PDB file of all heavy atoms in Angstrom:
ATOM      1  N   ALA A1226       5.041  71.439  67.458  1.00  0.00           N
ATOM      2  CA  ALA A1226       4.102  70.327  67.631  1.00  0.00           C
ATOM      3  C   ALA A1226       4.884  69.033  67.798  1.00  0.00           C
ATOM      4  O   ALA A1226       5.875  68.806  67.096  1.00  0.00           O
ATOM      5  CB  ALA A1226       3.182  70.224  66.416  1.00  0.00           C
ATOM      6  N   PHE A1227       4.447  68.234  68.727  1.00  0.00           N
ATOM      7  CA  PHE A1227       5.002  66.894  68.882  1.00  0.00           C
ATOM      8  C   PHE A1227       4.056  65.929  68.191  1.00  0.00           C
ATOM      9  O   PHE A1227       2.832  66.117  68.218  1.00  0.00           O
ATOM     10  CB  PHE A1227       5.183  66.545  70.361  1.00  0.00           C
ATOM     11  CG  PHE A1227       6.315  67.297  70.985  1.00  0.00           C
ATOM     12  CD1 PHE A1227       6.120  68.570  71.496  1.00  0.00           C
ATOM     13  CD2 PHE A1227       7.583  66.746  71.023  1.00  0.00           C
ATOM     14  CE1 PHE A1227       7.173  69.289  72.046  1.00  0.00           C
ATOM     15  CE2 PHE A1227       8.645  67.455  71.581  1.00  0.00           C
ATOM     16  CZ  PHE A1227       8.437  68.723  72.089  1.00  0.00           C
ATOM     17  N   CYS A1228       4.615  64.911  67.557  1.00  0.00           N
ATOM     18  CA  CYS A1228       3.745  64.004  66.821  1.00  0.00           C
ATOM     19  C   CYS A1228       4.168  62.552  66.990  1.00  0.00           C
ATOM     20  O   CYS A1228       5.298  62.239  67.345  1.00  0.00           O
ATOM     21  CB  CYS A1228       3.695  64.373  65.343  1.00  0.00           C
ATOM     22  SG  CYS A1228       5.207  64.032  64.452  1.00  0.00           S
ATOM     23  N   ARG A1229       3.203  61.702  66.721  1.00  0.00           N
ATOM     24  CA  ARG A1229       3.373  60.250  66.724  1.00  0.00           C
ATOM     25  C   ARG A1229       2.834  59.769  65.395  1.00  0.00           C
ATOM     26  O   ARG A1229       1.691  60.076  65.024  1.00  0.00           O
ATOM     27  CB  ARG A1229       2.572  59.657  67.883  1.00  0.00           C
ATOM     28  CG  ARG A1229       2.452  58.155  67.864  1.00  0.00           C
ATOM     29  CD  ARG A1229       3.592  57.533  68.619  1.00  0.00           C
ATOM     30  NE  ARG A1229       3.280  56.148  68.936  1.00  0.00           N
ATOM     31  CZ  ARG A1229       4.122  55.159  68.674  1.00  0.00           C
ATOM     32  NH1 ARG A1229       5.283  55.403  68.126  1.00  0.00           N
ATOM     33  NH2 ARG A1229       3.801  53.937  68.991  1.00  0.00           N
ATOM     34  N   GLU A1230       3.651  59.059  64.644  1.00  0.00           N
ATOM     35  CA  GLU A1230       3.241  58.484  63.373  1.00  0.00           C
ATOM     36  C   GLU A1230       3.382  56.970  63.454  1.00  0.00           C
ATOM     37  O   GLU A1230       4.388  56.471  63.952  1.00  0.00           O
ATOM     38  CB  GLU A1230       4.132  58.959  62.228  1.00  0.00           C
ATOM     39  CG  GLU A1230       4.118  60.429  61.975  1.00  0.00           C
ATOM     40  CD  GLU A1230       5.116  60.845  60.886  1.00  0.00           C
ATOM     41  OE1 GLU A1230       5.566  59.977  60.110  1.00  0.00           O
ATOM     42  OE2 GLU A1230       5.438  62.021  60.834  1.00  0.00           O
ATOM     43  N   VAL A1231       2.393  56.274  62.959  1.00  0.00           N
ATOM     44  CA  VAL A1231       2.462  54.824  62.827  1.00  0.00           C
ATOM     45  C   VAL A1231       2.084  54.521  61.384  1.00  0.00           C
ATOM     46  O   VAL A1231       0.998  54.897  60.937  1.00  0.00           O
ATOM     47  CB  VAL A1231       1.504  54.102  63.801  1.00  0.00           C
ATOM     48  CG1 VAL A1231       1.612  52.595  63.636  1.00  0.00           C
ATOM     49  CG2 VAL A1231       1.793  54.511  65.243  1.00  0.00           C
ATOM     50  N   SER A1232       2.987  53.875  60.661  1.00  0.00           N
ATOM     51  CA  SER A1232       2.729  53.611  59.247  1.00  0.00           C
ATOM     52  C   SER A1232       2.971  52.147  58.905  1.00  0.00           C
ATOM     53  O   SER A1232       3.845  51.497  59.465  1.00  0.00           O
ATOM     54  CB  SER A1232       3.607  54.506  58.368  1.00  0.00           C
ATOM     55  OG  SER A1232       4.973  54.349  58.692  1.00  0.00           O
ATOM     56  N   ARG A1233       2.152  51.673  57.970  1.00  0.00           N
ATOM     57  CA  ARG A1233       2.347  50.331  57.410  1.00  0.00           C
ATOM     58  C   ARG A1233       2.751  50.543  55.955  1.00  0.00           C
ATOM     59  O   ARG A1233       2.056  51.202  55.193  1.00  0.00           O
ATOM     60  CB  ARG A1233       1.078  49.489  57.490  1.00  0.00           C
ATOM     61  CG  ARG A1233       1.292  48.076  56.943  1.00  0.00           C
ATOM     62  CD  ARG A1233       0.101  47.160  57.140  1.00  0.00           C
ATOM     63  NE  ARG A1233      -1.082  47.732  56.529  1.00  0.00           N
ATOM     64  CZ  ARG A1233      -2.285  47.763  57.123  1.00  0.00           C
ATOM     65  NH1 ARG A1233      -2.452  47.268  58.332  1.00  0.00           N
ATOM     66  NH2 ARG A1233      -3.310  48.274  56.497  1.00  0.00           N
ATOM     67  N   TRP A1234       3.897  49.994  55.612  1.00  0.00           N
ATOM     68  CA  TRP A1234       4.456  50.184  54.281  1.00  0.00           C
ATOM     69  C   TRP A1234       4.055  49.016  53.386  1.00  0.00           C
ATOM     70  O   TRP A1234       3.764  47.918  53.868  1.00  0.00           O
ATOM     71  CB  TRP A1234       5.975  50.328  54.369  1.00  0.00           C
ATOM     72  CG  TRP A1234       6.338  51.604  55.082  1.00  0.00           C
ATOM     73  CD1 TRP A1234       6.072  51.917  56.388  1.00  0.00           C
ATOM     74  CD2 TRP A1234       6.960  52.748  54.531  1.00  0.00           C
ATOM     75  NE1 TRP A1234       6.503  53.188  56.673  1.00  0.00           N
ATOM     76  CE2 TRP A1234       7.055  53.721  55.555  1.00  0.00           C
ATOM     77  CE3 TRP A1234       7.456  53.046  53.271  1.00  0.00           C
ATOM     78  CZ2 TRP A1234       7.634  54.968  55.342  1.00  0.00           C
ATOM     79  CZ3 TRP A1234       8.039  54.290  53.069  1.00  0.00           C
ATOM     80  CH2 TRP A1234       8.119  55.235  54.093  1.00  0.00           C
ATOM     81  N   LYS A1235       4.051  49.257  52.096  1.00  0.00           N
ATOM     82  CA  LYS A1235       3.625  48.234  51.134  1.00  0.00           C
ATOM     83  C   LYS A1235       4.527  47.009  51.146  1.00  0.00           C
ATOM     84  O   LYS A1235       4.095  45.927  50.762  1.00  0.00           O
ATOM     85  CB  LYS A1235       3.533  48.839  49.731  1.00  0.00           C
ATOM     86  CG  LYS A1235       2.403  49.852  49.637  1.00  0.00           C
ATOM     87  CD  LYS A1235       2.323  50.502  48.283  1.00  0.00           C
ATOM     88  CE  LYS A1235       1.177  51.512  48.261  1.00  0.00           C
ATOM     89  NZ  LYS A1235       1.110  52.253  47.008  1.00  0.00           N
ATOM     90  N   ASP A1236       5.773  47.154  51.634  1.00  0.00           N
ATOM     91  CA  ASP A1236       6.677  46.007  51.731  1.00  0.00           C
ATOM     92  C   ASP A1236       6.473  45.211  53.022  1.00  0.00           C
ATOM     93  O   ASP A1236       7.212  44.285  53.317  1.00  0.00           O
ATOM     94  CB  ASP A1236       8.129  46.445  51.596  1.00  0.00           C
ATOM     95  CG  ASP A1236       8.606  47.351  52.721  1.00  0.00           C
ATOM     96  OD1 ASP A1236       7.871  47.546  53.718  1.00  0.00           O
ATOM     97  OD2 ASP A1236       9.734  47.882  52.611  1.00  0.00           O
ATOM     98  N   GLY A1237       5.455  45.594  53.829  1.00  0.00           N
ATOM     99  CA  GLY A1237       5.117  44.858  55.040  1.00  0.00           C
ATOM    100  C   GLY A1237       5.667  45.446  56.328  1.00  0.00           C
ATOM    101  O   GLY A1237       5.284  45.019  57.417  1.00  0.00           O
ATOM    102  N   ARG A1238       6.566  46.408  56.250  1.00  0.00           N
ATOM    103  CA  ARG A1238       7.132  46.996  57.461  1.00  0.00           C
ATOM    104  C   ARG A1238       6.104  47.872  58.170  1.00  0.00           C
ATOM    105  O   ARG A1238       5.251  48.492  57.547  1.00  0.00           O
ATOM    106  CB  ARG A1238       8.329  47.896  57.128  1.00  0.00           C
ATOM    107  CG  ARG A1238       9.539  47.192  56.647  1.00  0.00           C
ATOM    108  CD  ARG A1238      10.643  48.172  56.292  1.00  0.00           C
ATOM    109  NE  ARG A1238      10.195  49.034  55.190  1.00  0.00           N
ATOM    110  CZ  ARG A1238      10.603  50.295  55.003  1.00  0.00           C
ATOM    111  NH1 ARG A1238      11.460  50.852  55.839  1.00  0.00           N
ATOM    112  NH2 ARG A1238      10.165  51.002  53.975  1.00  0.00           N
ATOM    113  N   PHE A1239       6.212  47.903  59.504  1.00  0.00           N
ATOM    114  CA  PHE A1239       5.527  48.892  60.335  1.00  0.00           C
ATOM    115  C   PHE A1239       6.602  49.810  60.878  1.00  0.00           C
ATOM    116  O   PHE A1239       7.613  49.339  61.391  1.00  0.00           O
ATOM    117  CB  PHE A1239       4.795  48.227  61.515  1.00  0.00           C
ATOM    118  CG  PHE A1239       3.418  47.776  61.196  1.00  0.00           C
ATOM    119  CD1 PHE A1239       3.200  46.517  60.658  1.00  0.00           C
ATOM    120  CD2 PHE A1239       2.329  48.605  61.421  1.00  0.00           C
ATOM    121  CE1 PHE A1239       1.927  46.085  60.360  1.00  0.00           C
ATOM    122  CE2 PHE A1239       1.051  48.189  61.124  1.00  0.00           C
ATOM    123  CZ  PHE A1239       0.850  46.926  60.588  1.00  0.00           C
ATOM    124  N   ILE A1240       6.397  51.113  60.797  1.00  0.00           N
ATOM    125  CA  ILE A1240       7.350  52.071  61.344  1.00  0.00           C
ATOM    126  C   ILE A1240       6.594  52.990  62.292  1.00  0.00           C
ATOM    127  O   ILE A1240       5.536  53.518  61.958  1.00  0.00           O
ATOM    128  CB  ILE A1240       8.048  52.885  60.236  1.00  0.00           C
ATOM    129  CG1 ILE A1240       8.815  51.953  59.300  1.00  0.00           C
ATOM    130  CG2 ILE A1240       8.990  53.929  60.860  1.00  0.00           C
ATOM    131  CD1 ILE A1240       9.482  52.653  58.139  1.00  0.00           C
ATOM    132  N   LYS A1241       7.150  53.146  63.498  1.00  0.00           N
ATOM    133  CA  LYS A1241       6.563  54.021  64.518  1.00  0.00           C
ATOM    134  C   LYS A1241       7.568  55.120  64.823  1.00  0.00           C
ATOM    135  O   LYS A1241       8.732  54.842  65.080  1.00  0.00           O
ATOM    136  CB  LYS A1241       6.248  53.221  65.782  1.00  0.00           C
ATOM    137  CG  LYS A1241       5.291  52.063  65.536  1.00  0.00           C
ATOM    138  CD  LYS A1241       5.177  51.188  66.759  1.00  0.00           C
ATOM    139  CE  LYS A1241       4.358  49.944  66.446  1.00  0.00           C
ATOM    140  NZ  LYS A1241       4.343  49.027  67.584  1.00  0.00           N
ATOM    141  N   VAL A1242       7.096  56.360  64.789  1.00  0.00           N
ATOM    142  CA  VAL A1242       7.968  57.517  64.954  1.00  0.00           C
ATOM    143  C   VAL A1242       7.374  58.462  65.988  1.00  0.00           C
ATOM    144  O   VAL A1242       6.162  58.683  66.016  1.00  0.00           O
ATOM    145  CB  VAL A1242       8.124  58.265  63.606  1.00  0.00           C
ATOM    146  CG1 VAL A1242       8.897  59.554  63.787  1.00  0.00           C
ATOM    147  CG2 VAL A1242       8.786  57.372  62.573  1.00  0.00           C
ATOM    148  N   ILE A1243       8.244  59.031  66.812  1.00  0.00           N
ATOM    149  CA  ILE A1243       7.882  60.148  67.686  1.00  0.00           C
ATOM    150  C   ILE A1243       8.868  61.271  67.380  1.00  0.00           C
ATOM    151  O   ILE A1243      10.077  61.037  67.304  1.00  0.00           O
ATOM    152  CB  ILE A1243       7.957  59.766  69.180  1.00  0.00           C
ATOM    153  CG1 ILE A1243       6.944  58.669  69.494  1.00  0.00           C
ATOM    154  CG2 ILE A1243       7.723  60.991  70.058  1.00  0.00           C
ATOM    155  CD1 ILE A1243       7.049  58.115  70.899  1.00  0.00           C
ATOM    156  N   GLY A1244       8.332  62.465  67.176  1.00  0.00           N
ATOM    157  CA  GLY A1244       9.210  63.576  66.841  1.00  0.00           C
ATOM    158  C   GLY A1244       8.564  64.915  67.104  1.00  0.00           C
ATOM    159  O   GLY A1244       7.468  64.999  67.671  1.00  0.00           O
TER     160      GLY A1244
END
Side-chain angles (χ1 to χ4, degrees):
F1227 288 86
C1228 71
R1229 170 90 163 130
E1230 298 176 18
V1231 180
S1232 55
R1233 182 174 57 225
W1234 293 64
K1235 292 178 180 176
D1236 64 8
R1238 291 178 297 150
F1239 273 87
I1240 300 177
K1241 302 171 187 175
V1242 174
I1243 297 173

